[in-house]
Amino acid sequence: MTKEQLTRSIGTLLGIVLFGAALWIVHHELKRYSYHEVVAHLAQIPTTQIALALALTILNYLALTGYDTLAIRYVGKRLAYHRIALASFVAYVFSHNVGLSFLGGSAVRYRLFSFWGLTPADIARIIAFTGMTFWLGACGLGGLVLTFDPLMLPHSLSLAIDSSRPLGIVLLVILGVYLPWSITRKMPVRIHGFKIEVPTLRITFAQLILSAADWALAASVLYVLLPHTPGLSPATFLGGFLIAQILGFVSNVPAGLGVFDGMILFLLSPYIPADAILGSLVAYRVIYYLLPLLLGVTLLGCHEALRQRDLLITTGTTLTRLVPEVLPLAFAVSSFVGGLILLLSGATPAETGRIAWLHHFLPLPVMEVSHFVGSLAGAGLILLARALQQRVHAAYFATLALLGVGIVASLLKGIDFEEAIILSIILAAFLPCRCYFDRKTSLIGEAFPREWLTAIVFVVAGAAWLNFWVHRHVPYSHELWWQFELFGDASRAMRAGLGVILFGLVYALARLVRLPGH
């Protein structure tokens, strides 16, 4: 096993361990609460807090453009700010929502910046610089808040330390070692054949300030969504947020889903009830992750629709040249997220009032089938994401079909118009982009890297846990599998979960028996 393979294996194992631990923490913290209590807290978040969270999200994404602006200056290049902002927004939308190397910001930066004449060496230095900027802020801001306003750690951990102060001291020591080294280091650092110059002291301090602002803004989005708690200061919350985010990034789980949420629940549960925290986390995921993703995909889709209708005066614009490179990547992420939404929706009960109203117009069998088919469509969208990334022609049409099925199923199973709107936006963005999926190959012929398989397992495991937690108060019996009732949410979720597992097994079997070259 090579060094690179060993590193990837350790990273995958660490992600599995952290995700499993996070699921256990979430389960433990929420065992006293019901799904309906969480939904009630989500609905009670004031409109003013949601509007403030949206405004802070916009400010944070604007601040993120500073990473690439400073990096371009560091490598000695000149590039218009609107181009830098485009690259930064698209890169961070993808990395925030997926967080995996094969769909993350590094690949997007390479595709975008190479169009503007930057060499691979320049792009490698930019990627290294933005990564260093990110972690400098974590060390600086995290070291200060964790040291001087430490977060008390729960006694259930049985650790040798009872607060975050030792961790804060470690972060400050790392920063204290790096700063003198960066000042005295004259020779460039060589990584895989690339020379990376150590930033000047002036640029280093700019990195620290910029990254600290980024971390503070990202944390403030969630902080304003939480219920007011006198015992939880902004600095204390920021310390917990930093710890949770770092663990989420290290786990390499898509968007840190489960790992970040589990640590926030664990660290903040002494201050705020767990159901209120989870309700705020759901709102945070929608505002900070999902809405920017939908905006990015919509912009790309609208641009392509206008270009094909000859409504653009020029055809050589920046976006016109970038869309063929970025769009398959964007739709791979969108398909994965759309599938995740359908799977999670299939594991949770529909709103009672909507179900009762819908039953006046639709027979129960139609609603049952819609719920089952919607979950299968979600599984299909997740599996198709890899083929979309590889521009497979058949994957484009299959995704259109599954998105259409998902939209109809969302409405017929319980008038879930929220998820139907999200899927409709993705579908509308897909429609004019057929020409970018031109590889004539089998849908099941694309290899799945280890990171893809791990992400899929995480999604299925998370949906299975959600199914169990939501319906844990329903006593299990074999008869549940065959109960078809208007408000039989547990039975519907069980059948949908089993259908997803069988669908995945059939897909895996088809790949195993498929002959090479067919």
Side-chain angles (χ1 to χ4, degrees), residues 8 42 63 70 102 147 150 152 157 162 166 176 201 254 304 319 344 347 357 424 430 465 491:
R8 291 178 61 190
L42 174 62
L70 195 60
F102 56 88
T147 300
M152 302 308 296
L157 285 177
D162 58 359
L201 183 61
E304 184 57 19
L319 272 177
L344 297 183
W357 183 86
S424 297
F430 256 80
W465 171 83
S491 297

Side-chain angles (χ1 to χ4, degrees), residues 288-311:
Y288 192 78
Y289 290 85
L290 185 58
L291 291 183
L293 174 64
L294 292 177
L295 175 61
V297 172
T298 301
L299 288 174
L300 289 173
C302 288
H303 172 270
E304 184 57 19
L306 292 173
R307 188 185 72 85
Q308 292 197 10
R309 294 179 184 180
D310 296 324
L311 293 180

Side-chain angles (χ1 to χ4, degrees), residues 129-390:
F129 182 89
T130 55
M132 179 59 71
T133 303
F134 176 84
W135 290 110
L136 277 176
C139 289
L141 187 61
L144 289 175
V145 298
L146 294 175
T147 300
F148 297 104
D149 193 352
L151 183 72
M152 302 308 296
L153 301 177
H155 295 294
S156 57
L157 285 177
S158 301
L159 297 176
I161 57 176
D162 58 359
S163 77
S164 64
R165 180 170 282 124
L167 176 59
I169 293 173
V170 170
L171 293 177
L172 289 178
V173 168
I174 293 173
L175 186 62
V177 170
Y178 173 79
L179 289 177
W181 175 84
S182 66
I183 295 172
T184 58
R185 176 84 181 187
K186 303 302 181 183
M187 299 296 292
V189 178
R190 292 184 178 273
I191 301 178
H192 297 297
F194 291 107
K195 290 194 303 182
I196 301 177
E197 292 78 9
V198 179
T200 63
L201 183 61
R202 184 177 179 180
I203 291 181
T204 298
F205 277 114
Q207 288 178 281
L208 274 169
I209 294 171
L210 179 62
S211 182
D214 166 35
W215 279 102
L217 285 168
S220 65
V221 176
L222 176 57
Y223 183 74
V224 300
L225 291 170
L226 291 168
H228 177 66
T229 306
L232 180 64
S233 68
T236 302
F237 167 78
L238 180 58
F241 181 89
L242 284 162
I243 293 173
Q245 279 284 23
I246 290 172
L247 286 175
F249 285 123
V250 170
S251 71
N252 222 19
V253 176
L257 191 62
V259 177
F260 168 77
D261 311 85
M263 287 308 302
I264 287 290
L265 275 169
F266 189 62
L267 295 173
L268 299 188
S269 57
Y271 305 91
I272 306 174
D275 55 338
I277 297 173
L278 188 57
S280 299
L281 281 169
V282 172
Y284 172 72
R285 288 284 182 184
V286 172
I287 292 171
Y288 192 78
Y289 290 85
L290 185 58
L291 291 183
L293 174 64
L294 292 177
L295 175 61
V297 172
T298 301
L299 288 174
L300 289 173
C302 288
H303 172 270
E304 184 57 19
L306 292 173
R307 188 185 72 85
Q308 292 197 10
R309 294 179 184 180
D310 296 324
L311 293 180
L312 291 180
I313 297 176
T314 62
T315 59
T317 61
T318 295
L319 272 177
T320 299
R321 291 181 285 118
L322 294 180
V323 163
E325 293 291 331
V326 177
L327 194 140
L329 192 63
F331 287 142
V333 176
S334 303
S335 180
F336 196 96
V337 172
L340 174 61
I341 291 172
L342 285 173
L343 285 185
L344 297 183
S345 175
T348 54
E351 191 172 316
T352 304
R354 297 182 187 181
I355 284 282
W357 183 86
L358 186 62
H359 190 49
H360 291 297
F361 306 94
L362 291 178
L364 181 59
V366 173
M367 299 165 67
E368 292 279 1
V369 171
S370 299
H371 187 280
F372 186 81
V373 171
S375 295
L376 294 185
L381 287 172
I382 288 175
L383 292 174
L384 283 172
R386 169 62 176 169
L388 288 173
Q389 184 195 9
Q390 298 299 312

